[in-house]
Amino acid sequence: MMELLNILEWGVSILLIFFALAAVVSKKLLTSIIFLSVLSMAAVAAFALLRAPDVAVTEAVIGSGLVTFIFVTSIRGLRKAGDSI
Amino acid sequence: MRKIFTALFVVFFGIVLLLGISRTIPLTKYEDKIVPTSAGGAFIEKKVNITTENYKDYKDVIFGETRDAETGSANMVTSVVVNYRAFDTLGEITVLFLAAVGVSLLMGGSGKKKRLGKSGFILKTAAGILFPVMLITGIYIFTHGHLTPGGGFPGGSMIASSFLLLYLADEKFELKLKGFKVAEGVAGTLFIVIGAVGLMAGGYFLMNFLPTGTVGNLFSAGIVPIIYVLIGLKVGSEITGVLSDMMTVEVHE
Amino acid sequence: MIRLASLILILIGLYGVFSTRNVIKILVGVNIMELGVNIFIISIGFVNGGLAPILTSGSFSSALNFVDPLAQAIVLTSIVIGLGITTLGLVFARKIHVNYGTYDLSKIGGGSDD
């Protein structure tokens, strides 16, 4: 049982770092926003592993639905949704 | 060039930060549970690191049986947020209110909404089924905030998400926001009125003056479920107003 | 291990704030930093073998059984305030786009029009 929890901890940590790097490095804006939403889901898994159900429910509701929508509705005015620097 | 300099700076700063933190907090190991060996006789865990004998007389709070506990709520995070640190929750509601007022002042000018495009058949049908389910789940989460994980903040946000689903599914849907703004104002005022009643009835602002019943019932824990219902309604209507303001198209000069 | 990952998340967010000229990507970096700080605070309150801080009919209620509920109360506040900050920041970004026509910070002069 301790080995399974150890493997889950390592897995969640590696996913967190990978998605954050992908969100920062990518060239298109829409890709960054989608990776931010997936990073929020990995953070919910980390909160559930650290025995915090209140915080996990709050982050799931706020990080997945509201923040992603607010970001996407701000880049609608650009000529292509992949316009970026 | 800029990226290379930034990466070098972040790596250098990161090494300093990690070395500094690892002197006070271990970075990869967590603390172990303290198990007393001579208290109550109910513990059978054997993962003992530090034995202590100061915990001989503690009152055991049993779910469903204990009456008139100090807080009365079965969710400990709720009793910290609403009962012991209720003033910090009042500060958080103020910050959220400031953000909503700022958005509404800056963005509410033209009033014309631009939608995200035509929605297909699946979204229209599914929104009709999902909207009442999400609404009832949101209301359930904030009324049972003292028994199950959740509370006022995720409950209110789920109500706002259900209205967002209605906006996305239908192009010609418009909410009349007057009732939402009235509900938000009334809920915020009632929070402060309850705090003032606590000040008059006992010692301090936001004191828990109602009797805390049996731990685990729906009507228990004093003013905690009442305050969470008010917070849920206020946060839900506030975030609905913010989302409706963010969809307006701005006038280019 | 999650504590170390949250510190690295803060550093990645810091790199994301400084290494780009686009206002929206700066806000994405700020959001990543906020996620890292929240995970770090909760990982401080964690105890090996502790339960989630909710009383049920099966567990004993001594305070030594549970993980720290005070850290979770603080992070609950912090997540909601992070939402407010992101919203207001994006409203300012849209006003920049209305006035200057671009999201690029290097094309917006600063302080040279007076």
Side-chain angles (χ1 to χ4, degrees), chain A residues 53-54 58 61 66 69-70 76, chain B residues 75 77 114-116 149-150 157:
Chain A
D54 264 318
T58 307
V61 170
L66 301 178
F69 171 72
I70 284 181
R76 247 183 326 149
Chain B
N75 189 356
V77 181
K114 188 159 85 159
R115 299 312 171 91
L116 279 171
S157 301

Side-chain angles (χ1 to χ4, degrees), chain B residues 107-206:
Chain B
M107 291 291 298
S110 69
K112 276 191 318 167
K113 295 212 196 316
K114 188 159 85 159
R115 299 312 171 91
L116 279 171
K118 293 183 82 58
S119 58
F121 170 69
I122 296 180
L123 188 54
K124 280 194 177 62
T125 318
I129 301 175
L130 275 179
F131 166 70
V133 171
M134 282 172 82
L135 196 63
I136 296 287
T137 304
I139 294 179
Y140 167 79
I141 284 184
F142 71 66
T143 51
H144 289 252
H146 55 294
L147 300 174
T148 54
F153 297 105
S157 301
M158 198 173 276
I159 289 180
S161 293
S162 73
F163 284 116
L164 173 66
L165 183 66
L166 280 187
Y167 264 112
L168 288 178
D170 196 2
E171 272 190 340
K172 301 191 180 13
F173 180 75
E174 284 267 353
L175 269 178
K176 295 190 189 21
L177 286 175
K178 204 170 170 56
F180 281 99
K181 299 221 184 292
V182 167
E184 172 187 343
V186 165
T189 313
L190 274 180
F191 187 98
I192 301 187
V193 162
I194 288 182
V197 169
L199 179 62
M200 282 190 300
Y204 49 94
F205 188 60
L206 287 164

Side-chain angles (χ1 to χ4, degrees), chain C residues 41-55:
Chain C
I41 292 179
I42 289 196
S43 82
I44 285 188
F46 182 66
V47 169
N48 263 337
L51 302 174
I54 294 182
L55 284 175

Side-chain angles (χ1 to χ4, degrees), chain B residues 221-237:
Chain B
I223 63 171
V224 169
I226 302 177
I227 286 190
Y228 252 162
V229 166
L230 291 175
I231 287 178
L233 288 174
K234 180 170 171 70
V235 168
S237 32

